[in-house]
Amino acid sequence: MKALLVVAHGSRRAESNDEIRQLTACLERQAEGAFGDVRCAFLELAEPSIPDGLREAIRAGAGEVVVLPYFLSAGRHVVKDIPAEVDSVRREHPDVSISLAPYLGASEGMIGLLLQQAQSD
Amino acid sequence: MKALLVVAHGSRRAESNDEIRQLTACLERQAEGAFGDVRCAFLELAEPSIPDGLREAIRAGAGEVVVLPYFLSAGRHVVKDIPAEVDSVRREHPDVSISLAPYLGASEGMIGLLLQQAQSD
């Protein structure tokens, strides 16, 4: 089974973390069989952590996990911190294929989305 | 003339600010007449500021400016800080129509973009 783990920064504001959880619930409804398990994790300030989120997906039966950084720029978190957390679980579970998708800001569809958003009123 | 001002947080990392400037240049190429002027501004840590970005767009001939917050969650910056900066220029230029688009994270197309990104490898 293939799982998707959306990784957000995490915030002191509970509403911001809940926004990520709601987004993840929408993603799960729209994943239409592409991912059998969709969940979120946070780099800091909220639960679950990235390693815990990965472990939950694996416990749910994932043999493959795609980690998607919900970040807009390629800062230290995207370049170093998230890969390091992912690596720690890769070592624990060498039988599971864990891949890192490009961070959201690098998406080819971002320009189209921004233009759509700018014309949404 | 209608202008688009993409507002990002701004970073201590010059590369992150440059990423926004490159995104803005791509947006300008793809705006295809929807916006005669496309530029970016930063809430903090980088130039131009939001008021300066708005003033530049107005100086370039904009009679209407759409401000698009390039932010993923509805935190204080999106709810209070950006609207306050926009208001200050509205008072300076009551003849110019300045509207605030919903922040990026609220976009209806976000789910589709994330699914596309998760399956991009």
Side-chain angles (χ1 to χ4, degrees):
Chain A
M1 187 265 281
K2 193 169 175 174
L4 173 61
L5 185 71
V6 177
V7 170
H9 186 279
S11 170
R12 279 184 190 82
R13 290 177 69 249
E15 300 93 316
S16 293
N17 301 326
D18 286 344
E19 213 178 323
I20 302 297
R21 294 183 183 107
Q22 283 157 18
L23 183 86
T24 305
C26 284
L27 258 176
E28 186 157 33
R29 282 195 292 276
Q30 289 184 40
E32 285 173 9
F35 297 96
D37 184 274
V38 180
R39 49 187 84 222
C40 59
F42 300 91
L43 184 63
E44 54 189 47
L45 303 168
E47 295 292 330
S49 66
I50 298 171
D52 283 349
L54 283 169
R55 287 180 197 122
E56 286 167 10
I58 293 166
R59 208 174 304 129
E64 192 179 343
V65 187
V66 175
V67 177
L68 176 53
Y70 191 63
F71 282 73
L72 289 176
S73 73
R76 185 175 46 85
H77 293 325
V78 165
V79 174
K80 294 195 173 173
D81 302 339
I82 296 175
E85 303 239 15
V86 168
D87 275 344
S88 72
V89 181
R90 271 199 191 111
R91 283 191 295 270
E92 271 175 38
H93 294 276
D95 49 318
V96 177
S97 160
I98 308 179
S99 62
L100 207 51
Y103 67 102
L104 174 66
S107 166
E108 281 180 20
M110 183 56 83
I111 299 291
L113 189 65
L114 287 170
L115 280 175
Q116 190 184 319
Q117 188 80 340
Q119 295 175 88
S120 65
D121 55 334
Chain B
M1 188 264 284
K2 193 169 176 174
L4 173 60
L5 186 72
V6 177
V7 170
H9 185 280
S11 170
R12 279 182 192 84
R13 291 178 68 249
E15 299 93 318
S16 293
N17 301 325
D18 286 343
E19 213 176 323
I20 302 298
R21 294 182 184 107
Q22 283 156 21
L23 182 88
T24 305
C26 285
L27 259 176
E28 185 158 33
R29 283 195 291 276
Q30 289 185 42
E32 286 173 9
F35 297 96
D37 184 275
V38 181
R39 50 186 85 223
C40 59
F42 300 91
L43 183 63
E44 53 190 47
L45 302 168
E47 295 291 329
S49 67
I50 298 171
D52 283 349
L54 283 169
R55 288 179 197 121
E56 285 167 13
I58 293 166
R59 208 174 305 129
E64 191 178 346
V65 187
V66 176
V67 177
L68 176 53
Y70 191 63
F71 281 72
L72 289 176
S73 72
R76 185 174 46 83
H77 293 325
V78 165
V79 174
K80 293 198 173 170
D81 302 339
I82 296 174
E85 303 239 14
V86 167
D87 275 345
S88 72
V89 181
R90 271 199 192 111
R91 283 190 295 270
E92 270 175 40
H93 294 274
D95 49 319
V96 177
S97 160
I98 307 179
S99 62
L100 206 51
Y103 67 103
L104 175 66
S107 166
E108 281 180 20
M110 182 57 83
I111 300 291
L113 188 66
L114 287 170
L115 280 175
Q116 188 184 320
Q117 188 80 338
Q119 294 174 88
S120 65
D121 55 334

